[in-house]
Amino acid sequence: FGSSTQGKVMLECCAGICGGGRPRGPLPVLEPTVRKPVVRFDGRDSCDTVEEITSNFGYRCAPPGSEPVALVSEDFCKNPTRLLALIPTGGASLGTWDAGPGVLAQVLAWAEANYYAVVLFSGRAMQENPANTWDSVTKASPSRYLTVLALRGAIPLLTAALSPVNPLLYSRLRTVCEIWEDDMGGPADYLDRGLPADLLQQLSTAVVSVPVTWASFEPYAMCQCLFGLLVDREEKFQKAQAKKYDNLTGMKENDLPGFKRLTMDQRVGRLDRDRRTDELSRVMKQNEQAMHDGLGYDDEPGVD
């Protein structure tokens, strides 16, 4: 290797790759940033009709081979990271998201600049058959982080779409913004109306109202504030995930491949343990309870 020091560093690196030791220091956390879109001077930024959205932004109708109930971006089926779902008010036609003059065009531009795949639902289709409309489109997206922007009064369409499905299918739902409300804060009252417990818990930490004062901003400035809020939410979520992973690697009673291996006798001796109260179960319950109680992503408890 040229020197004993270089050889030692190389061996330590190889040992880390093979899982021979725990990484030193805190786990790295990806820091999201807000990227501003490129200003277009060709005049092709209008999106008042379906034809303009498809020609100016490259969107297409979905699902393919049937009556369209949504418009999706070109990377909708390929983007594995972020998905932005736009839900208009009930009864709105396809291609409509009336948050104010020029707002939709800016939202689509900012979403593209920040690597979001986008789906714009038809309000009429969501009102007539919410569950089938939602599932027929979103099942084609591999994105693991879902954000919903719902116009005022449209969140009931979202809850109607998610109520019948398995909780695993909406576990990637992380942020739901209702536009426009008077303040930002806890879940709205209508979230308590007979929703499944799993869905209610998911929404209680995901729903955030956007200040109504943002509606008076120019569309560009409004989107800068909005996507700044989304980045802040995603950053907190990523830090929480890193903490959860760090908590798991710090467990003392379980077999952790790459960090700590139990002997065969230890594994056999733990086969009859109560999995409802063992160390792994306690860690998971602590993390879930912290998020549910609104303690904040930065205050999740670790392992005792």
Side-chain angles (χ1 to χ4, degrees), residues 4 6 10 23 27 30 42 53 60 85 89 91 100 111 150 176 180 192 195 198 215 222 236 250 254 256 261 286 301:
S4 59
Q6 290 178 333
M10 179 64 72
L27 295 173
L30 296 177
D42 56 4
I53 296 176
R60 62 180 186 273
T89 54
V176 179
W180 307 97
D192 295 327
L195 295 178
D198 291 326
M222 186 275 291
K236 291 179 179 179
N254 287 267
L256 301 173
R261 305 292 292 188
Q286 284 177 328

Side-chain angles (χ1 to χ4, degrees), residues 267-279:
R267 295 184 195 180
V268 172
R270 289 177 50 78
L271 288 177
D272 60 348
R273 69 185 184 277
D274 187 351
R275 287 172 172 77
R276 295 172 298 179
T277 59
D278 67 352
E279 185 183 34

Side-chain angles (χ1 to χ4, degrees), residues 190-236:
Y190 52 72
L191 294 183
D192 295 327
R193 297 179 182 175
L195 295 178
D198 291 326
L199 178 58
L200 182 60
Q201 180 172 341
Q202 188 80 17
L203 291 174
S204 65
T205 58
V207 173
V208 55
S209 297
V210 178
V212 70
T213 54
W214 290 6
S216 62
F217 295 172
E218 291 293 327
Y220 186 93
M222 186 275 291
C223 285
Q224 186 170 7
C225 295
L226 178 60
F227 280 84
L229 170 64
L230 300 184
V231 162
D232 181 64
R233 297 273 299 181
E234 183 176 352
E235 182 179 13
K236 291 179 179 179

Side-chain angles (χ1 to χ4, degrees), residues 33-269:
T33 57
V34 180
R35 294 175 173 83
K36 298 180 180 180
V38 176
V39 178
R40 301 179 64 168
F41 296 99
D42 56 4
R44 296 177 59 85
D45 58 355
S46 177
C47 55
D48 296 329
T49 65
V50 173
E51 290 74 18
E52 289 180 340
I53 296 176
T54 55
S55 62
N56 294 344
F57 290 89
Y59 281 48
R60 62 180 186 273
C61 295
S66 61
E67 182 179 356
V69 296
L71 297 174
V72 298
S73 57
E74 288 183 314
D75 63 339
F76 181 78
C77 297
K78 302 177 182 179
N79 189 327
T81 53
R82 297 170 173 170
L83 173 61
L84 180 66
L86 306 179
I87 303 180
T89 54
S93 58
L94 182 63
T96 301
W97 198 72
D98 191 14
V103 173
L104 178 57
Q106 285 296 322
V107 168
L108 299 185
W110 280 78
E112 180 181 4
N114 288 276
Y115 307 107
Y116 282 90
V118 180
V119 52
L120 171 58
F121 284 99
S122 162
R124 183 178 298 114
M126 286 291 289
Q127 187 176 48
E128 294 175 353
N129 193 346
N132 184 67
T133 298
W134 177 271
D135 183 65
S136 65
V137 177
T138 58
K139 67 182 181 182
S141 170
S143 299
R144 60 179 178 269
Y145 191 98
L146 171 60
T147 298
V148 173
L149 299 184
L151 294 185
R152 186 172 185 177
I155 289 186
L157 299 179
L158 175 65
T159 58
L162 299 181
S163 293
V165 304
N166 189 289
L168 289 176
L169 298 180
Y170 52 74
S171 60
R172 60 177 173 171
L173 177 62
R174 301 300 175 186
T175 300
V176 179
C177 292
E178 186 175 20
I179 303 173
W180 307 97
E181 287 295 336
D182 292 335
D183 55 17
M184 299 171 62
D189 294 338
Y190 52 72
L191 294 183
D192 295 327
R193 297 179 182 175
L195 295 178
D198 291 326
L199 178 58
L200 182 60
Q201 180 172 341
Q202 188 80 17
L203 291 174
S204 65
T205 58
V207 173
V208 55
S209 297
V210 178
V212 70
T213 54
W214 290 6
S216 62
F217 295 172
E218 291 293 327
Y220 186 93
M222 186 275 291
C223 285
Q224 186 170 7
C225 295
L226 178 60
F227 280 84
L229 170 64
L230 300 184
V231 162
D232 181 64
R233 297 273 299 181
E234 183 176 352
E235 182 179 13
K236 291 179 179 179
F237 171 75
Q238 289 184 354
K239 287 182 177 179
Q241 294 301 100
K243 283 187 176 182
K244 289 179 181 179
Y245 180 75
D246 196 43
N247 291 343
L248 291 175
T249 60
M251 292 194 300
K252 303 175 178 62
E253 303 173 6
N254 287 267
D255 190 45
L256 301 173
F259 293 95
K260 178 175 64 68
R261 305 292 292 188
L262 298 180
T263 65
M264 182 60 67
D265 291 339
Q266 289 174 317
R267 295 184 195 180
V268 172

